[in-house]
Amino acid sequence: MSQTQKPLILTGAKPSGELTLGNYLGAIKNWAVMLEEYECFFPIVDLHAITVRYVPADLRRWTYQCLAQYIACGLDPARSHIFLQSHVTGHAELSWVLSCLTPVGDLHRMTQFKEKSARPGASVNAGLLYYPVLMAADILLYNADRVPVGEDQKQHLELARNLAQRFNQTYSETFKVPEPFIGKTGGRIMSLQDPSKKMSKSEDNPGEAVLLLDPPEVIRKKILSAVTDSGKEVRRSDDKPGISNLLTIFSAVTGRPIEKIEDEFAGAGYGTFKKALADAVIAELEPVQERYRGIIEDKAYMHGVLKQGVDVAQARAYKTLSKVFRKAGFVDRIR
Ligand code: AQP
């Protein structure tokens, strides 16, 4: 089968900080096994990174880091299209058209908007509210068949599906309605310090998240100090959110079912379990970090990857955008 006949997958991360174990287990690790079966578009969605206060130099550094980590985690640029969202003309334009079909109330109901706007000192700008419309445009611009997302992004994907249907009904059949694709394990990794909220790269407390680039001793320290629950049994249960989260991580890292891990650590206590988990996470991330170090030094290689990716992405984006503009009634550009 030629590459163009494969179903199209599109998914990306935003360079709003250093990638976490949550980004890796809930997303990137699952994407890396899709390269054969799907035509994969992996944008780094940098336009999304400016909805919160940020420092431009950090954004640039995190963008390069994200690119090098994508590749180090197994997103092979020879078998996928890796590019920066801001390099492609079309994301912002399509999001404008889609925003004119989006009830504002739908955006106010988004969990992520509610959480982020409630953070102390948050600047609640229109971009933060509008973010899911831009995300819908990211997906629909490429007419993606499936979108691998963590549980936390399901609500945003639902909006993208609604907007595809609404556009098709308002104008005429244009967009595929994208399907979610959630990995079997690691769907939602929670904070190590507060397992009621997800592990996020932009949290202020460094103990909350293992970062992909954390040195082994830091990873060990963070996991050993992760909050656990009363009792000492290593067992998944609704009233044990801390240990349940650590079991999810263990299972996602090793590929072993949670029940098997519970059996192995029956009667062992939290301390022994955490030490084994730290070893497993370190063993998983060490080769990624090793590959990362080689890639991040090689700017010319990274620029080559971005150039190759954007050429394919832009061609596809222009095609969709001109179709959308025509259907929306804009006069064709005079060439
Ligand atoms: N804790 C998580 N568990 C599972 N999956 C997660 N993802 C993020 N956090 C977790 C998934 O990673 C992909 C890339 O995420 P993103 O960078 O685009 O945005 P995000 O979900 O907002 O990630 P963060 O880390 O929480 O960033 P900040 O703190 O800046 O908002 C997505 O597929 C996401 O589902």
Side-chain angles (χ1 to χ4, degrees), residues 11-30:
T11 188
K14 65 177 187 298
S16 49
E18 293 194 20
L19 294 179
T20 70
L21 193 60
N23 297 127
Y24 176 68
L25 296 177
I28 302 172
K29 189 178 177 182
N30 298 320

Side-chain angles (χ1 to χ4, degrees), residues 81-329:
H81 313 298
I82 301 179
F83 57 98
L84 303 187
Q85 179 192 28
S86 63
H87 285 181
V88 177
T89 302
H91 291 255
E93 288 83 348
L94 179 58
S95 74
W96 177 251
V97 174
L98 296 177
S99 74
C100 297
L101 296 170
T102 310
V104 178
D106 286 5
L107 301 180
H108 279 287
R109 275 193 289 279
M110 293 289 162
T111 313
Q112 206 174 80
F113 171 72
K114 286 199 249 173
E115 272 172 20
K116 291 207 165 157
S117 53
R119 284 184 188 173
S123 82
V124 187
N125 58 61
L128 194 60
L129 181 69
Y130 182 84
Y131 170 116
V133 184
L134 180 58
M135 177 171 156
D138 301 336
I139 297 163
L140 301 183
L141 193 60
Y142 302 95
N143 250 323
D145 295 286
R146 298 179 83 179
V147 181
V149 286
E151 287 280 350
D152 57 306
Q153 292 286 350
K154 257 171 107 177
Q155 203 185 20
H156 294 163
L157 185 62
E158 203 44 46
L159 180 79
R161 289 167 53 82
N162 291 341
L163 285 173
Q165 282 160 340
R166 210 167 292 148
F167 186 96
N168 291 348
Q169 280 156 12
T170 307
Y171 300 103
S172 64
E173 201 63 27
T174 305
F175 293 118
K176 287 183 189 164
V177 180
E179 297 291 333
F181 187 104
I182 295 179
K184 283 201 187 66
T185 53
R188 194 167 163 83
I189 304 297
M190 311 308 278
S191 157
L192 296 180
Q193 292 302 316
D194 177 359
S196 68
K197 61 181 196 188
K198 78 164 184 152
M199 184 181 282
S200 270
K201 60 175 109 66
S202 61
E203 287 299 340
D204 291 334
N205 174 358
E208 301 216 18
V210 169
L211 304 179
L212 291 196
L213 300 180
D214 274 342
E217 63 280 10
V218 174
I219 296 176
R220 193 175 303 283
K221 191 161 169 232
K222 286 181 177 176
I223 290 177
L224 293 183
S225 10
V227 298
T228 38
D229 320 280
S230 54
K232 52 183 179 181
E233 226 184 315
V234 179
R235 186 174 44 80
R236 177 174 52 181
S237 142
D238 287 347
D239 61 353
K240 286 164 126 354
I243 210 74
S244 299
N245 185 38
L246 298 184
L247 277 163
T248 303
I249 295 175
F250 209 133
S251 169
V253 165
T254 59
R256 291 164 52 204
I258 287 187
E259 299 69 35
K260 289 253 156 37
I261 301 168
E262 287 172 337
D263 290 348
E264 185 185 331
F265 290 96
Y270 292 159
T272 309
F273 169 68
K274 282 174 158 181
K275 275 190 201 124
L277 174 60
D279 287 342
V281 172
I282 290 166
E284 173 86 358
L285 295 186
E286 260 180 345
V288 171
Q289 296 181 351
E290 175 83 36
R291 286 193 292 273
Y292 170 84
R293 284 190 281 273
I295 298 164
I296 197 72
E297 295 300 321
D298 194 346
K299 276 270 166 66
Y301 168 70
M302 289 197 286
H303 290 159
V305 168
L306 291 179
K307 166 86 176 73
Q308 197 181 310
V310 74
D311 286 349
V312 176
Q314 186 64 78
R316 197 167 172 108
Y318 273 144
K319 218 164 143 189
T320 308
L321 194 64
S322 61
K323 202 171 182 185
V324 165
F325 276 12
R326 213 174 318 119
K327 296 204 178 187

